[in-house]
Amino acid sequence: MRQTERLAADAAGLAEAAALLRRGGLVAFPTETVYGLGADATDAEAVAGIYAAKERPSFNPLISHLDSFDSARRQGVFDGTATRLAEAFWPGPLTLVVPVAPTCTVSDLARAGLDSVGLRVPAHPLAHALLERTGRPVAAPSANRSGRVSPTDADHVLGDLDGRIDAVLDGGAARVGVESTIVSCLGGAARLLRPGGIPREAIEDLIGRPLEGGPEAGSSPLAPGMLASHYAPRAQVRLNAASFLPGEAALLFGPGTPHGVEAAHAALNLSENGDLVEAAAHLFSYLRRLDASGAATIAVSPVPDAGLGEAINDRLRRAAADR
């Protein structure tokens, strides 16, 4: 088993992380959403290492991260809508699925054999510096075992992947706390594939029309996060809990003390003030903590479905799906 190195967020740490990526290694690094597990997207063997470390289904494609929109244009074909979205929200928590460009160097394995590619320019300064130094697209799904709760700090990464990857670049806690919004811009349509850090309303305001709802029925996943059971803790998850049963772990939202919470095995509140941004930032960390409590069930209070609440509820529904 390899030894996973924790690298400091300084010039030496960045240089070592970039060198590892260029040599085909696996390096977890922070973005403004969650920590990503990075590998050289142009190197199919390195990408295979991601799938092996995560134990991830090979038909679920990976997002490739770039240091700029100019770099992204060499990988994908951007129509007018995709260009407007990139110019408005990059760098930031938005992934765009676009047709592959003739100059695309992202490996077929990273694209899961598709003729489209998921691209993102992250806003985190450490991620940007690493991508600049690496000088090539970096495939980076969330840095956790497939289906587990996504990591929002370096300790979470090591808890899942210690000994399975080369290094983690420690940049502290992630700010947004849920993954990027994914929008497909294929065939003239703009389709929301995954809610995330950019609310649907902000995108629709920019493009002046509603986003189509989701992937085509029966289609293969076009992007990460589209399998029915995903982001799953070991405990069962019970949604929209108005009260709590003895022995359950309670994941709360908003003010007040719901019935039965005093008998809960453990309890955490995503945001006592009902702040969806705060709730998003706490979501994965709190799911991990409640899962680690040993409770067989995590019961979750209702969360409003507006703004970032849509992304939070999407994650919770996937965590609760049959598996």
Side-chain angles (χ1 to χ4, degrees):
M1 180 181 289
R2 74 183 85 185
Q3 182 175 357
T4 299
E5 187 177 3
R6 188 192 291 257
L7 300 174
D10 56 18
L14 280 166
E16 176 62 16
L20 283 167
L21 289 172
R22 289 194 299 269
R23 293 199 300 264
L26 299 180
V27 178
F29 63 95
T31 75
E32 69 276 21
T33 54
V34 298
Y35 272 65
L37 177 56
D40 179 355
T42 72
D43 180 343
E45 289 189 15
V47 172
I50 291 177
Y51 291 119
K54 286 178 62 69
E55 302 172 351
R56 183 189 185 99
S58 61
F59 52 84
N60 205 7
L62 306 179
I63 296 169
S64 291
H65 295 66
L66 291 307
D67 63 354
S68 69
F69 187 17
D70 284 344
S71 295
R73 286 182 190 271
R74 292 193 284 274
Q75 305 300 326
V77 177
F78 288 74
D79 64 13
T81 298
T83 297
R84 291 178 66 192
L85 290 170
E87 290 175 344
F89 296 117
W90 280 355
L94 175 69
T95 293
L96 295 173
V97 177
V98 296
V100 296
T103 51
C104 182
T105 58
V106 174
S107 69
D108 183 73
L109 184 60
R111 294 185 286 105
L114 300 172
D115 58 3
S116 58
V117 61
L119 302 172
R120 179 177 166 220
V121 178
H124 196 291
L126 201 61
H128 185 264
L130 177 61
L131 292 165
E132 277 193 326
R133 284 163 174 77
T134 303
R136 58 197 69 172
V138 172
S142 57
N144 55 279
R145 301 278 186 101
S146 186
R148 301 274 183 86
V149 178
S150 297
T152 53
D153 64 33
D155 287 338
H156 293 162
V157 175
L158 291 170
D160 250 11
L161 298 176
D162 192 15
R164 301 175 68 88
I165 65 175
D166 295 292
V168 55
L169 186 60
D170 190 347
R175 176 175 58 83
V176 176
V178 293
E179 289 97 333
S180 60
T181 302
I182 303 180
V183 175
S184 164
C185 295
L186 301 171
R191 183 181 297 275
L192 182 66
L193 299 183
R194 181 179 76 183
I198 302 292
R200 173 199 293 265
E201 296 88 342
I203 296 170
E204 292 177 340
D205 286 348
L206 180 76
I207 66 175
R209 66 180 189 274
L211 288 166
E212 297 186 25
E216 298 290 348
S219 64
S220 297
L222 291 173
M226 293 172 59
L227 298 178
S229 176
H230 209 57
Y231 315 106
R234 295 177 180 84
Q236 295 297 308
V237 177
R238 182 168 70 89
L239 300 179
N240 298 315
S243 61
F244 297 88
L245 303 175
E248 288 185 322
L251 185 61
L252 308 172
F253 177 81
T257 305
H259 177 71
V261 74
E262 65 281 350
H265 182 75
L268 293 170
N269 197 318
L270 291 169
S271 174
E272 293 182 2
N273 298 323
D275 184 333
L276 290 170
V277 174
E278 181 183 18
H282 288 156
L283 177 61
F284 288 126
S285 177
Y286 283 12
L287 276 174
R288 280 180 175 273
R289 287 169 59 181
L290 292 177
D291 200 27
S293 75
T297 301
I298 300 171
V300 186
S301 295
V303 177
D305 210 31
L308 283 179
E310 184 178 13
I312 293 167
N313 283 309
D314 175 75
R315 300 302 182 276
L316 290 170
R317 283 191 294 270
R318 293 176 189 277
D322 290 338
R323 54 187 187 272

